[in-house]
């Protein structure tokens, strides 16, 4: 029997997706018996969502796998699954950062995953106070804070309104961030929402992919 050792679970994404999968999910019916002198009556009440974090996650992932647009890191859909060696931690090495970032690559694709540090399993109690959430691409790219001559060139061109250049600047930032990671690598499995995908700006890989995780789990 294999076990999943979760290091990141995005409760906010699960809370957003579950009602779209099944609005009744987690509603627990409880039978209450009311007894008077002559009549035994039963009434049912509906309580709030279950607090079972893993069951909620498995429901979302199972639905994405069976019915959703779930691709791979090399051919991502709206969501993508992967199993890769990745380096991860608070980026860029600031323990007070609100961004947790995972970086790795497949044979063809450089992959970066980023999200709010508060979703790290057993994160510190005051994680909510770590600043802006990092599931939005603009906030995440600002948090990466990695620049290069290649990116500066694209940013300068993007000022003139060339959105294609702006996309390449973002892809260059993701690729630079992944290349700069120095933490020990771990084998991890994940499902993530695609945020940005395109050709590698410097040609060292076929493509660059940025996502925000639904979950990340270490794999032995």
């Amino acid at each position: 029997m294999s076990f999943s050792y979760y290091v990141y679970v995005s409760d906010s994404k699960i809370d957003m997706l579950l009602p779209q999968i099944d609005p009744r999910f987690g509603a627990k019916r409880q039978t209450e018996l009311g007894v008077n002198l002559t009549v035994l009556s039963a009434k049912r009440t509906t309580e709030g969502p279950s607090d079972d974090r893993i069951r909620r996650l498995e429901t979302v992932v199972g639905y994405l796998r069976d019915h959703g647009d779930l691709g791979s890191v090399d051919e991502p859909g709206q969501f993508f699954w992967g199993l890769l060696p990745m380096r991860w931690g608070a980026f860029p090495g600031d323990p007070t950062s609100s961004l947790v970032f995972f970086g790795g690559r497949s044979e063809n694709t450089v992959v970066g995953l980023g999200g709010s540090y508060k979703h790290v399993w057993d994160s510190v109690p005051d994680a909510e106070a770590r600043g802006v959430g990092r599931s939005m691409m603009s906030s995440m790219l600002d948090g990466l804070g990695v620049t290069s001559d290649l990116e500066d060139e694209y940013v300068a061109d993007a000022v003139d309104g060339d959105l294609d250049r702006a996309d390449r600047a973002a892809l260059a930032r993701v690729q630079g961030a992944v290349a700069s990671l120095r933490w020990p690598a771990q084998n991890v499995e994940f499902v993530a929402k695609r945020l940005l995908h395109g050709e590698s700006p410097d040609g060292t890989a076929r493509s660059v992919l940025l996502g925000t995780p639904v979950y990340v789990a270490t794999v032995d």
Side-chain angles (χ1 to χ4, degrees):
M1 181 177 180
S2 61
F3 294 93
S4 295
Y5 296 89
Y6 295 100
V7 296
Y8 183 101
V9 176
S10 176
D11 296 305
S12 59
K13 294 185 187 68
I14 294 169
D15 290 341
M16 182 184 298
L17 292 170
L18 268 176
Q20 300 176 62
I21 293 170
D22 182 357
R24 299 167 302 173
F25 179 84
K28 184 171 61 177
R29 293 193 178 275
Q30 176 180 336
T31 301
E32 294 179 347
L33 297 180
V35 180
N36 59 28
L37 293 177
T38 58
V39 179
L40 180 66
S41 63
K43 55 183 177 179
R44 292 177 176 177
T45 61
T46 301
E47 295 184 348
S50 167
D51 196 28
D52 187 340
R53 193 181 193 189
I54 300 305
R55 184 164 65 91
R56 291 160 58 83
L57 170 63
E58 290 175 344
T59 298
V60 169
V61 172
Y63 182 89
L64 293 176
R65 183 184 300 115
D66 296 338
H67 307 289
D69 185 15
L70 182 64
S72 65
V73 294
D74 293 326
E75 296 182 1
Q78 183 180 5
F79 293 84
F80 58 94
W81 174 90
L83 178 60
L84 295 172
M86 302 190 87
R87 305 177 190 276
W88 69 279
F91 195 88
D94 180 358
T96 65
S97 172
S98 65
L99 172 66
V100 59
F101 188 73
F102 301 79
R105 62 181 298 161
S106 67
E107 184 176 349
N108 297 310
T109 305
V110 173
V111 184
L113 307 175
S116 296
Y117 195 93
K118 66 182 180 181
H119 295 309
V120 173
W121 199 275
D122 292 333
S123 63
V124 295
D126 64 346
E128 293 284 353
R130 287 178 173 268
V132 66
R134 296 297 193 178
S135 294
M136 295 182 64
M137 181 167 61
S138 57
S139 175
M140 193 186 308
L141 291 171
D142 287 342
L144 295 182
V146 175
T147 59
S148 66
D149 292 340
L150 178 66
E151 182 191 349
D152 290 341
E153 174 190 343
Y154 289 148
V155 170
D157 289 338
V159 169
D160 296 328
D162 187 338
L163 295 180
D164 184 56
R165 288 280 185 172
D167 286 345
R168 281 185 282 176
L171 291 168
R173 176 166 290 194
V174 174
Q175 193 163 2
V178 173
S180 71
L181 300 180
R182 295 294 181 267
W183 305 301
Q186 290 181 292
N187 288 325
V188 299
E189 178 188 50
F190 55 85
V191 167
K193 173 71 175 69
R194 185 193 70 219
L195 297 178
L196 184 67
H197 181 232
E199 293 183 4
S200 169
D202 64 4
T204 58
R206 190 181 74 182
S207 63
V208 178
L209 175 61
L210 176 66
T212 182
V214 177
Y215 81 90
V216 181
T218 60
V219 178
D220 291 335

